Amino acid sequence: MTTPSPSPSPSGAAEVGGGAAQAGASGAAAGDSGAAPQEVTITLDGREVAARPGELLIAAAERAGVYIPRFCYHPRMRQVGMCRMCLVEVKGPRGFSLQPACFQPVANGMEVRTESPAVKKAQDGVLEFLLVNHPLDCPVCDKGGECPLQDQTLTFGPGETRFVEEKRHWSKPIPVSSLVELDRERCIQCDRCTRFAKEVAGDPFITFQGRGDHTEVNTFPDRPFASYFSGNTVQICPVGALTASAYRFKARPWDLEQVESTCTTCALGCRMVVQSSSGEVVRHLGVDDEAVNHSWLCDKGRFAFEASTAPSRRTHPLLRSDARLRPVSWQVALSEVAGRLRAVLATDGPGAVGVLGGARLTNEDAYAWAKLAKAVIGTDSVDAQLDDGLPAELVAGLPPATIADACAAKVLLFLGPDPREELPVLFLRLRGAVRDHGLDLVELSPVDTSLTDLARASLRYRPGQLVDLVRQLLGSLPPANPAVAAARDRLVAGGGEGVVVALGRSSIAESEEQTVAAAGLLRRMLPGATFLPLLRRGNVRGALDAGLAPGLLPGRQRLADGGAFATAWGGLPGAPGRGARALLEAAATGQVRALFLLGADPLSDFPDRSLARRALEAVELVVSVEAHPNASSEHVDVVLPAAAPSERAGTTTNCEGRLSPVGQKVVAPGLAWPDWAIAVELAAALGADLGFASPADIVAERARLAPLFAGVTSAVLAGTVGRMGALLPLRGRGPDGELGEWPAGATGGLERLDPMAVPGIASVESQGAPSEAGVVRAAGPVVAAPVGGRMAAGDDGPAALLSWEPPEALPATPPVDAYSLRLVAARRCYDGGTAVQASPSLAALAASPALRAHPSELERLGVASGTKVAVRAAPGRLELVLEADAGVPKGVAVLGAVPPAADAPGASALVRAGDPVTEIRLETLEAG
Amino acid sequence: MGALDALKGFKVTFKQIFEPRVTSSYPDEKRPKPPRFHGRHVLNRYEDGMEKCIGCELCAGVCPADCIYVRGADNPPDHPVSPGERYGFVYEINYLRCIHCDLCVEACPTQAITESKLFEFSFTDRNDAIYTKAELVVRDDGKPQQLPWEDWREGDDLLTSGWMRATSPAGVADQEGRRHWSGELGYGSRAPERGQSGLDPAEASPSLELRKEEAAKIPVRFGGRAR
């Protein structure tokens, strides 16, 4: 699709002049510059239309309402001119000649004919040739009904073919990975999938092979298409050559319904449509959002919807009796919870109640739970993070940067987990920024990550020594090597203006103090720098903004400043409560007697498994509001079944603070309720009235009380902001009078989609195979979100930031123990997480846990890669397979944080909560 | 006004008395039905017993009454139900909704669904009105199954799969000399019909000949044959 910012074409080659060089991700910069882009005029079919300099003819024509058929052209990839379908006549010195419109930048005064007899003849010929070997098995093909080849053949092609010979044959679908099937007979060699794999994802595992009519797309022998992004090739395939095994024969386009939504699998918040058939979600497709995901999704976000229909899904309230969870009615479950909670409150007061989790909830759900916890129960011991994120005040208190800012930064200091594992589409955005305009990426990481090859400087630090490295980068310590010195010079120039820091926890085997101290140093020494928090889990930013954090109230308000809430809610907790770690420590010693788990699984996700286990065993009443059973379920006393994504509507907030809608497409199975309704009913069982009869009531109260959400009313959410998402707080009014942040020159925000960019969305929008397919009829569901600039200091309107005081004292650097390795524990994309494990397509992809260390460590130990060794750490001992990995520095070992099987050894069994670093020692096992 | 005027008024009446009688005593006696009569559907099978339905849902998509529900599934590799990758896993027609327009038959790419000439079937249970694949698939001899509440008469089950489309894939109505269905079980074959369009082939729509003529007009430099 096209976007309000300058040409979305990532090509640098086609750009003319300096003004257009800011294309693509740097839309925010273009908005700030204020200079209106120069326009050129072209004559299109005898009509004068305006175009942007450097824009490709095919995109300019589309904005002018002339659709030029195409297969290989995709607005988010470099053009290759493979398919020749977009041939148009362009006037040159020797008259009109046929030119591919996807390869022709517009020039002033250009004359173009798209409907002349010569063009028609060319289109006929191209389509006839494309169909020479195409099997025309449309009735069997999953693409039938939404197929660009089918649609464009009907619209532009010849009625019949002259070709009567036998077609080329290949064996019918072959799996190129466990998620994607390839039918080479249908392939028209448009180079979309191979280009995506090579250019966008950087996983060139599929490629063209053979010559002439034996050209085929295929994987390399014995090398599957093992990419986290393989589903995108299915999404952009213009024929049915690549199909998703999860969608195979599930539905036809004309019996699909769709709703726009936002993926909450990770905190990036990719925009997507959810498509369902017969009341069952069958497919997710990426929506092109300029600000966030550029139409891509990762395979986890694309296929994890399978979890919502998994047989293990919670559908009824469960109550533990005789050591087993048995189904009961809602009334029995709620009155049991209320009765036991009243007993706890009567004897030990609200401080003995804790609430953990909430990242699975929508913003409205989180608000209702925050009100239940803080106003009705009266506890402030509420934490949406499980000690694996960043302090809520830091997230809300650092000057924010958007993803677009990070991609357009002068220097991007990346200090966090491997984005390909934790925020996969952010990796695509960063990779695109490096590829297209040479983003200066400086990575600080304990081990090699997916960014190492992309970064201009990838600087290693031993766990526990991050602050030392940051001080070297800021010039307070002498640089350890020339690479640090070079990065330092680029970083500190101009007081950090234009520097974006992507900040997250690269390992949960370290406590957060090093990361917090590093953020404080960067904040103080680089006053111009902005920060993009890299948080774990879906809507964790939204949960923090809704007050699911100790000491905070909805809308980034401190508990102490919450006068409006105290009045409206009828009381607030007197003292700040405990965070996740303190809460579990208190629970383990019996000070916390009732614990609510809002989709949280402390046993898997909390860094210290033994503390989590002791806490869950000690707590008298554990209530889990969950959609799926998890490792902690064996300690749960009451299960309240909650609605999963696509089963309830609301909003979500991604890691950059962008509010966007989540849509409801199906109804929750069994007796599962949305989380806000559970909070309301539980409050009623406790004798209180939250005052919410619907999410609209929550939205209204939130807009009234929480300054951050000022203007976020139901009407605004139903309008463009609700459709496209917007950064909070809303500022200014858009062209249609709505609140929101708008880039300069945006005209209404909504733009039509390129129907061939994600064929599955346009076809469902128009319902069925239209005779004029490819022509967008109405403003489709796909819109470009406004590119948010950063919030200006001193702006009018509600305060965007909490005041956050960086800690003055630097943490001590833990001394290095030469006999130990320092553990790095980070999540993998496919691991033991609930969504992955409950999705049949993904569960098998989760790798078994292995400890990875530098080959020299294995030499020192005298074992071969793949040998089982004993791993000893403070909390206990594990036996793990040890693998050699040259990407892991000496003195460091890497282990996945959440292993695939619940009882398999994971890093959390080796970590002691609060320790600055985790030292492990390896020992060989006795033979036999 | 003459004496014969009264008789004049009966002219038509008297004439009809000697014409053959057209009224039949339905339901004891039934008139033969035309060959393209739209009755109850059948799901056809090939000679080897495989089902023709591939579960493509085109019938369900085109149905104006929304009475067809189809779901496809992967053919089990060891016991394929139909040739190819996909078969009709669920096939249901709700006869309380069906208007027998035959658009499903037009849409079917494999001639899997056709219609018999049975129209006399009434139910005492709404569930009986929903025919599933178990009832719609033809028997091993290629004839439709006969359910207890259906009133089958001689000839109703003949030529059920010998239905010919009103349209052809290329949009050429003239089907002269063409047989569009393949070999199959039972009573399928019927002699090809005479042309239906009555139009001159050149006027009908682009055909192979027409494209050859067109190519002759296109200059050689554009790939045609004109010099």
Side-chain angles (χ1 to χ4, degrees):
Chain A
M1 59 165 293
T2 53
T3 61
S5 65
S7 161
S9 154
S11 162
E15 318 251 317
V16 182
Q22 305 163 327
S26 62
D32 290 344
S33 70
Q38 209 187 334
E39 271 191 356
V40 297
T41 308
I42 60 171
T43 311
L44 191 63
D45 294 330
R47 172 170 77 92
E48 295 218 329
V49 297
R52 300 171 182 139
E55 188 175 28
L56 294 173
L57 186 51
I58 196 167
E62 191 167 328
R63 286 197 302 111
V66 174
Y67 178 80
I68 299 170
R70 80 287 301 262
F71 294 108
C72 69
Y73 169 75
H74 190 282
R76 293 292 180 190
M77 294 193 289
R78 284 204 175 96
Q79 67 277 24
V80 286
M82 288 287 273
C83 72
R84 317 310 281 179
M85 191 64 223
C86 64
L87 287 174
V88 293
E89 277 193 300
V90 178
K91 193 170 189 181
R94 280 175 249 168
F96 281 99
S97 65
L98 288 170
Q99 303 279 341
C102 76
F103 233 94
Q104 194 73 34
V106 292
N108 211 9
M110 188 183 246
E111 271 185 68
V112 184
R113 295 199 301 217
T114 67
E115 289 182 329
S116 62
V119 171
K120 287 283 161 212
K121 171 72 188 155
Q123 289 171 344
D124 270 14
V126 167
L127 278 167
E128 195 175 349
F129 268 116
L130 287 178
L131 292 173
V132 157
N133 275 315
H134 190 79
L136 290 175
D137 54 353
C138 308
V140 181
C141 176
D142 267 337
K143 206 80 175 188
E146 60 180 30
C147 176
L149 181 60
Q150 208 178 25
D151 294 346
Q152 294 186 146
T153 301
L154 285 175
T155 315
F156 301 100
E160 292 186 13
T161 178
R162 290 164 288 184
F163 187 80
V164 293
E165 288 78 12
E166 184 68 11
K167 298 196 176 202
R168 176 195 61 192
H169 290 291
W170 303 103
S171 58
K172 282 300 223 184
I174 52 171
V176 288
S177 76
S178 59
L179 299 171
V180 178
E181 310 218 12
L182 169 66
D183 185 327
R184 292 162 293 172
E185 288 185 353
R186 295 178 188 151
C187 177
I188 56 167
Q189 282 100 38
C190 71
D191 198 21
R192 271 189 173 193
C193 56
T194 44
R195 225 176 340 151
F196 172 84
K198 193 169 69 196
E199 251 182 53
V200 182
D203 298 323
F205 302 140
I206 48 171
T207 185
F208 284 124
Q209 296 167 13
R211 288 289 177 97
D213 70 332
H214 286 281
T215 309
E216 57 171 309
V217 168
N218 210 333
T219 53
F220 297 99
D222 303 323
R223 290 277 302 276
F225 184 27
S227 168
Y228 289 155
F229 308 101
S230 63
N232 290 307
T233 61
V234 176
Q235 174 176 304
I236 58 177
C237 181
V239 292
L242 289 159
T243 50
S245 26
Y247 179 68
R248 187 167 164 81
F249 302 158
K250 279 278 172 66
R252 306 309 307 254
W254 54 85
D255 53 39
L256 288 175
E257 296 169 3
Q258 68 186 2
V259 67
E260 267 183 275
S261 192
T262 306
C263 179
T264 53
T265 310
C266 76
L268 202 71
C270 296
R271 304 303 315 285
M272 62 178 186
V273 294
V274 177
Q275 298 186 334
S276 74
S277 173
S278 299
E280 190 186 326
V281 175
V282 293
R283 190 162 69 164
H284 287 172
L285 292 174
V287 164
D288 198 319
D289 187 324
E290 173 65 29
V292 184
N293 62 324
H294 288 190
S295 87
W296 311 126
L297 294 179
C298 67
D299 288 354
K300 190 165 154 183
R302 188 181 297 276
F303 298 116
F305 68 84
E306 288 182 347
S308 60
T309 51
S312 62
R313 180 72 199 276
R314 297 289 198 210
T315 54
H316 288 76
L318 305 173
L319 182 63
R320 189 171 295 278
S321 60
D322 306 333
R324 275 193 60 202
L325 288 170
R326 295 173 200 279
V328 292
S329 71
W330 270 104
Q331 200 181 358
V332 170
L334 289 172
S335 61
E336 173 82 11
V337 173
R340 291 169 69 176
L341 196 60
R342 267 203 212 98
V344 170
L345 290 171
T347 54
D348 293 87
V353 181
V355 181
L356 273 183
R360 181 180 56 71
L361 276 53
T362 65
N363 290 341
E364 291 70 28
D365 293 335
Y367 185 92
W369 271 93
K371 188 173 180 182
L372 172 69
K374 304 209 170 179
V376 177
I377 299 174
T379 180
D380 190 45
S381 299
V382 177
D383 203 342
Q385 300 182 92
L386 292 173
D387 203 30
D388 55 355
L390 301 166
E393 298 184 353
L394 179 145
V395 172
L398 287 171
T402 62
I403 297 164
D405 292 342
C407 293
K410 194 185 79 181
V411 181
L412 174 65
L413 188 62
F414 194 95
L415 200 165
D418 188 342
R420 192 162 65 180
E421 304 289 344
E422 298 216 11
L423 302 158
V425 175
L426 178 63
F427 168 74
L428 296 188
R429 289 293 308 271
L430 295 180
R431 194 172 185 282
V434 171
R435 180 194 63 213
D436 291 341
H437 46 264
L439 170 69
D440 183 355
L441 178 60
V442 177
E443 185 203 25
L444 310 188
S445 161
V447 295
D448 280 9
T449 71
S450 57
L451 292 183
T452 302
D453 290 340
L454 302 174
R456 191 170 297 177
S458 183
L459 308 176
R460 292 282 161 277
Y461 65 93
R462 192 186 277 250
Q465 297 176 352
L466 173 63
V467 168
D468 289 349
L469 179 57
V470 169
R471 289 177 72 195
Q472 289 173 25
L473 276 175
L474 294 172
S476 10
L477 286 180
N481 57 50
V484 176
R488 178 196 63 194
D489 295 342
R490 301 201 303 277
L491 200 63
V492 297
E497 197 58 49
V499 171
V500 173
V501 181
L503 185 74
R505 297 265 301 275
S506 56
S507 162
I508 57 163
E510 291 174 70
S511 73
E512 67 190 16
E513 62 176 17
Q514 289 274 331
T515 313
V516 173
L521 279 174
L522 290 164
R523 174 81 187 104
R524 232 186 338 253
M525 308 283 281
L526 301 177
T530 52
F531 292 79
L532 175 67
L534 304 177
L535 297 168
R536 293 197 159 83
R537 282 193 282 279
N539 189 22
V540 62
R541 185 83 196 255
L544 299 179
D545 280 353
L548 287 181
L552 289 186
L553 287 170
R556 301 178 193 159
Q557 289 258 299
R558 276 180 206 285
L559 193 59
D561 310 332
F565 284 100
T567 323
W569 284 7
L572 288 176
R578 302 175 171 103
R581 193 168 80 214
L583 187 64
L584 289 176
E585 279 165 357
T589 56
Q591 295 170 54
V592 168
R593 292 175 55 205
L595 188 61
F596 287 89
L597 302 177
L598 297 182
D601 175 11
L603 219 47
S604 303
D605 290 347
F606 187 69
D608 183 342
R609 191 182 179 89
S610 97
L611 174 60
R613 185 182 295 281
R614 276 182 284 129
L616 288 176
E617 279 167 359
V619 171
E620 285 166 38
L621 173 64
V622 182
V623 181
S624 181
V625 183
E626 63 187 22
H628 297 279
N630 54 43
S632 304
S633 294
E634 57 177 303
H635 301 287
V636 169
D637 299 300
V638 186
V639 171
L640 305 179
S646 307
E647 293 169 3
R648 75 279 198 268
T651 60
T652 180
T653 308
N654 77 349
C655 62
E656 51 175 351
R658 184 179 303 278
L659 188 80
S660 52
V662 288
Q664 177 176 6
K665 193 69 226 75
V666 293
V667 289
L671 299 181
W673 286 355
D675 296 83
W676 69 269
I678 298 174
V680 167
E681 292 298 322
L682 192 55
L686 287 165
D689 182 8
L690 286 188
F692 304 140
S694 72
D697 295 342
I698 302 176
V699 170
E701 183 183 307
R702 188 177 60 186
R704 192 157 45 82
L705 294 178
L708 181 72
F709 291 91
V712 187
T713 59
S714 292
V716 166
L717 287 177
T720 321
V721 166
R723 248 181 117 181
M724 306 181 355
L727 287 172
L728 290 179
L730 302 181
R731 285 164 202 280
R733 288 187 182 273
D736 47 359
E738 282 193 64
L739 275 171
E741 268 190 63
W742 304 89
T747 50
L750 295 173
E751 278 212 20
R752 295 174 177 187
L753 82 159
D754 174 349
M756 294 305 153
V758 185
I761 297 178
S763 68
V764 174
E765 180 73 0
S766 57
Q767 283 297 320
S771 57
E772 46 169 355
V775 182
V776 183
R777 288 153 171 198
V782 179
V783 295
V787 180
R790 71 181 78 109
M791 285 171 250
D795 214 346
D796 289 339
L801 303 178
L802 275 178
S803 58
W804 175 68
E805 281 306 314
E808 283 295 330
L810 294 179
T813 306
V816 175
D817 172 6
Y819 297 101
S820 297
L821 302 181
R822 285 211 170 144
L823 186 64
V824 172
R827 293 203 72 152
R828 305 290 302 271
C829 186
Y830 304 134
D831 61 8
T834 315
V836 169
Q837 289 301 308
S839 303
S841 301
L842 300 176
L845 295 168
S848 57
L851 189 71
R852 291 182 290 127
H854 193 265
S856 72
E857 305 288 351
L858 279 82
E859 250 170 58
R860 202 165 69 158
L861 212 58
V863 296
S865 183
T867 319
K868 213 168 197 189
V869 296
V871 183
R872 201 181 287 279
R877 180 177 175 278
L878 280 183
E879 288 185 7
L880 289 169
V881 173
L882 181 65
E883 283 176 3
D885 183 348
V888 180
K890 291 176 188 175
V892 175
V894 182
L895 183 59
V898 183
D903 55 350
S908 61
L910 300 170
V911 178
R912 195 163 58 192
D915 280 1
V917 292
T918 300
E919 306 268 13
I920 57 169
R921 291 198 183 192
L922 306 185
E923 292 163 9
T924 50
L925 291 172
E926 297 298 323
Chain B
M1 291 287 279
L4 290 177
D5 283 358
L7 292 176
K8 226 178 188 176
F10 279 107
K11 185 180 166 192
V12 173
T13 312
F14 289 130
K15 194 178 158 209
Q16 288 300 317
I17 285 174
F18 302 102
E19 291 282 311
R21 196 171 55 127
V22 294
T23 312
S24 64
S25 53
Y26 181 87
D28 300 327
E29 184 191 320
K30 290 182 185 175
R31 295 170 63 181
K33 291 158 193 158
R36 288 164 186 268
F37 190 85
H38 296 182
R40 197 206 89 186
H41 300 86
V42 291
L43 283 176
N44 298 306
R45 292 157 70 186
Y46 290 106
E47 281 159 343
D48 58 2
M50 289 244 220
E51 287 175 15
K52 288 185 167 186
C53 178
I54 50 171
C56 72
E57 298 187 30
L58 283 170
C59 47
V62 78
C63 181
D66 222 0
C67 72
I68 308 182
Y69 177 71
V70 188
R71 288 282 114 154
D74 248 319
N75 254 319
D78 36 352
H79 296 289
V81 180
S82 72
E85 295 172 58
R86 177 175 176 144
Y87 79 105
F89 172 61
V90 177
Y91 200 105
E92 292 177 1
I93 298 181
N94 184 346
Y95 278 106
L96 295 173
R97 290 186 178 181
C98 178
I99 58 170
H100 296 277
C101 64
D102 259 25
L103 285 178
C104 49
V105 182
E106 295 279 337
C108 184
T110 60
Q111 273 92 48
I113 186 162
T114 54
E115 293 202 332
S116 69
K117 286 180 272 302
L118 173 76
F119 71 94
E120 293 145 304
F121 52 121
S122 52
F123 331 95
T124 51
D125 184 341
R126 294 179 75 87
N127 286 329
D128 290 343
I130 298 170
Y131 278 51
T132 64
K133 218 171 89 170
E135 284 108 36
L136 289 168
V137 169
V138 293
R139 298 186 312 219
D140 287 347
D141 64 357
K143 286 190 174 178
Q145 300 180 48
Q146 303 196 353
L147 300 166
W149 55 81
E150 294 174 342
D151 185 8
W152 286 88
R153 296 301 171 104
E154 197 184 340
D156 280 1
D157 58 354
L158 290 180
L159 299 175
T160 52
S161 54
W163 201 90
M164 194 184 267
R165 289 161 186 270
T167 57
S168 78
V172 187
D174 188 345
Q175 303 262 347
E176 191 159 11
R178 293 191 195 183
R179 231 183 231 185
H180 275 286
W181 57 88
S182 49
E184 64 196 68
L185 273 177
Y187 298 80
S189 288
R190 187 174 64 177
E193 295 189 9
R194 225 160 36 76
Q196 298 167 358
S197 67
L199 289 174
D200 183 57
E203 286 173 41
S205 92
S207 65
L208 192 60
E209 286 71 25
L210 202 64
R211 289 198 62 84
K212 278 183 191 157
E213 286 168 29
E214 270 185 344
K217 295 177 203 156
I218 292 166
V220 170
R221 66 193 171 98
F222 286 138
R225 302 209 186 109
R227 295 188 181 276

